[in-house]
Amino acid sequence: MGEEAALAKEKLDAGAAFVLVSKGTWLHAAYHLTTAIVGPAILSLPYAFASLGWELGVLALTMGALVTFYGYNLVSTLLEQADQRGQRHLRLGDLAVDILGPKWSKYVVFPQMVISFGIVVGSNLLCGQGMLKIYENLVKDGDLKLYHFVMISASIMIILSQLPSFHSLRYISLASALLSMGYSLGVVAACIYAGHSKRAPPKDYSIVGSTSARVFHAFNGLSIMASTYGVSIIPEIQATIASPVSGKMFKGLLLCYAVVVTTFFSVSISGYWAFGNKATGNLFDNFIPDDNTTLAPDWLLFLIILFIVIQLLAIAVVYSQPLFDVFETALSDVKRPIFSFRNLLPRLAVRSLYIVLAAFLAAMLPFFGDLNAFIGAVGFLPLAFILPPVLYNIKCKPSPGTVVFWVNTAIIVVYGAMAVMGSVSSVRQIVLDAHKFKVFSNNTS
């Protein structure tokens, strides 16, 4: 058995052997999935509801859950089929090459890497902003600026990034999942408290604006919801599961979506109920009106921010794994031990430089959220919603007379249109906010 394991390892490149280690269980996959989906982006869901109203908002949120669960299960099925043929794919790029060919697969891999890096930059920025909010509440007129806290968050991420494999993050992902449930519960409690407060704004659930503006905002809201459900690393997560993988990812998805549905719906509904069409793009801002008084207990808001800051560290290292896989493949020697000096030194240097670059961009571009919305529209929507049914239809060739074929085709058409509209709306938002853009500013909004 030892010789067989050694021979099997020799067939793997360093990225597969050291980063995408297949030792996990379906529970570990569920932890990673939950970390990849449930993040601070859910605080934008009440704002999406404000663009859609109650009925369409609940319908869109439900459809997002159903379509993404279905799509991610399609990807998992394709990976399992390949595994049964003796050709296990550990990366999204491997699956794309198998089905689309080398020429077209690069249009899948490049967006995945851009999204992954964008999430690391955004997580660094949000983590720094959260730390700054805590600091400003504790220290009045302090001297520290946003970039100081981005540097602090980056320092912690550098340490976490040295964990060699995706599998080694399993308990960090578990903690992340628990934190996401914790701050979601805190947000719901804060919304209920604020909604009953005498200082709360009047509840107005009407959709304001001209007909064209309402249509535009509706598509923007739909794009926000779709992007919030998006995950671009399903194959890499499934790669952490020990063989045989059949049926394990489905159980992981079921557990993950139990958390997703609970958190997404509770935050969306409670936030929209409390603030109506005045819900902002970051629900947390609604708890602190312009007069700097809070509509929820300070200690509760402090805990919410603290949980979010800690979870962002986990999100960053989870989404770093595809790029760490690339680095390891290019720089490490698979024939040498994973912790040999030959492999340890380049890992320490390159991963640290990668986090430093992400932190520099986060500090330099505090308006990165607007840019990230565009990245999500042109990357997340195609990879998370459109690509799974496309890959399935090409590989499995369902008959045009079957329900599967038409369901997949409908998803491709509807979410393809949504990706186009989302791209237009995000570019529009960048143009509208351009006058506020200032590099290395201390802006936390």
Side-chain angles (χ1 to χ4, degrees):
M1 289 295 293
E3 292 180 1
E4 291 178 2
L7 289 172
K9 185 174 180 180
E10 285 182 6
K11 296 178 181 179
L12 299 175
D13 56 52
F18 296 157
V19 179
L20 302 178
V21 179
S22 302
K23 293 182 179 179
T25 67
W26 69 268
L27 267 176
H28 300 149
Y31 304 157
H32 298 316
L33 285 165
T34 305
T35 297
I37 299 176
V38 186
I42 65 174
L43 298 183
S44 66
L45 291 175
Y47 174 73
F49 261 65
S51 304
L52 300 168
W54 279 115
E55 294 82 2
L56 188 56
V58 172
L59 176 62
L61 199 63
T62 303
M63 289 304 299
L66 292 175
V67 170
T68 51
F69 182 87
Y70 172 74
Y72 300 152
N73 193 54
L74 287 182
V75 174
S76 176
T77 299
L78 291 171
L79 292 168
E80 288 182 6
Q81 290 175 353
D83 187 44
Q84 291 167 2
R85 297 193 302 269
Q87 186 183 16
R88 186 172 184 183
H89 299 312
L90 302 178
R91 309 173 177 95
L92 180 60
D94 296 340
L95 183 64
V97 169
D98 181 27
I99 299 175
L100 302 177
K103 179 180 178 181
W104 290 99
S105 64
K106 61 185 178 183
Y107 297 107
V108 173
V109 175
F110 180 72
Q112 183 199 30
M113 297 304 166
V114 171
I115 288 172
S116 297
F117 183 63
I119 290 175
V120 175
V121 175
S123 297
N124 228 316
L125 173 60
L126 291 172
C127 192
Q129 290 176 342
M131 290 180 180
L132 178 60
K133 282 184 180 291
I134 294 174
Y135 171 75
E136 289 175 339
N137 285 328
L138 296 177
V139 181
K140 303 301 179 183
D141 301 320
D143 295 328
L144 297 182
K145 304 296 182 183
L146 175 60
Y147 67 86
H148 292 115
F149 293 100
V150 169
M151 291 168 59
I152 293 172
S153 68
S155 299
I156 301 172
M157 288 180 188
I158 287 174
I159 295 172
L160 294 176
S161 71
Q162 300 311 313
L163 292 170
S165 68
F166 203 161
H167 178 65
S168 61
L169 301 177
R170 59 196 181 280
Y171 296 118
I172 290 177
S173 290
L174 171 60
S176 169
L178 294 174
L179 287 167
S180 68
M181 289 187 284
Y183 67 70
S184 296
L185 178 62
V187 168
V188 172
C191 287
I192 294 172
Y193 187 96
H196 289 291
S197 171
K198 294 180 180 179
R199 294 181 292 110
K203 295 180 178 64
D204 183 0
Y205 305 113
S206 62
I207 303 175
V208 297
S210 63
T211 301
S212 59
R214 291 167 67 178
V215 171
F216 186 86
H217 289 144
F219 272 102
N220 189 48
L222 290 170
S223 296
I224 290 172
M225 285 190 178
S227 299
T228 306
Y229 278 110
V231 180
S232 61
I233 55 173
I234 292 294
E236 286 79 5
I237 292 175
Q238 186 157 330
T240 65
I241 301 176
S243 294
V245 297
S246 181
K248 294 178 181 178
M249 192 66 167
F250 182 72
K251 291 195 292 184
L253 282 166
L254 283 176
L255 179 58
C256 167
Y257 267 75
V259 178
V260 168
V261 170
T262 301
T263 54
F264 278 42
F265 278 80
S266 62
V267 170
S268 302
I269 292 172
S270 64
Y272 186 51
W273 169 81
F275 301 106
N277 58 20
K278 295 181 179 62
T280 59
N282 182 352
L283 183 62
F284 201 86
D285 294 335
N286 284 106
F287 296 121
I288 309 175
D290 293 336
D291 59 2
N292 285 327
T293 60
T294 57
L295 297 179
D298 290 343
W299 65 266
L300 180 57
L301 298 181
F302 175 85
L303 279 180
I304 293 171
I305 295 177
L306 181 62
F307 283 11
I308 289 174
V309 164
I310 298 173
Q311 196 217 9
L312 283 164
L313 299 170
I315 291 174
V317 292
V318 163
Y319 271 98
S320 293
Q321 298 309 303
L323 281 158
F324 287 172
D325 169 38
V326 172
F327 299 155
E328 208 79 24
T329 301
L331 300 173
S332 295
D333 183 355
V334 71
K335 297 179 181 180
R336 305 286 289 273
I338 185 172
F339 291 112
S340 66
F341 184 77
R342 163 65 182 80
N343 291 329
L344 188 62
L345 184 60
R347 182 182 308 125
L348 175 64
V350 174
R351 293 189 183 190
S352 299
L353 287 173
Y354 163 81
I355 298 296
V356 168
L357 175 61
F360 176 78
L361 291 175
M364 186 177 72
L365 307 173
F367 48 85
F368 187 77
D370 283 339
L371 303 180
N372 222 19
F374 176 75
I375 294 172
V378 300
F380 252 139
L381 275 168
L383 288 184
F385 288 82
I386 302 170
L387 185 64
V390 167
L391 293 179
Y392 188 88
N393 280 4
I394 292 174
K395 187 67 177 179
C396 298
K397 298 178 175 61
S399 170
T402 61
V403 174
V404 171
F405 176 85
W406 286 108
V407 167
N408 289 354
T409 303
I411 292 172
I412 294 167
V413 172
V414 171
Y415 285 93
M418 199 176 297
V420 172
M421 291 300 298
S423 301
V424 173
S425 65
S426 60
V427 170
R428 174 180 176 271
Q429 194 62 48
I430 290 172
V431 172
L432 291 174
D433 291 347
H435 67 282
K436 299 185 294 186
F437 292 170
K438 183 180 178 182
V439 297
F440 293 108
S441 78
N442 204 45
N443 179 29
T444 60
S445 62

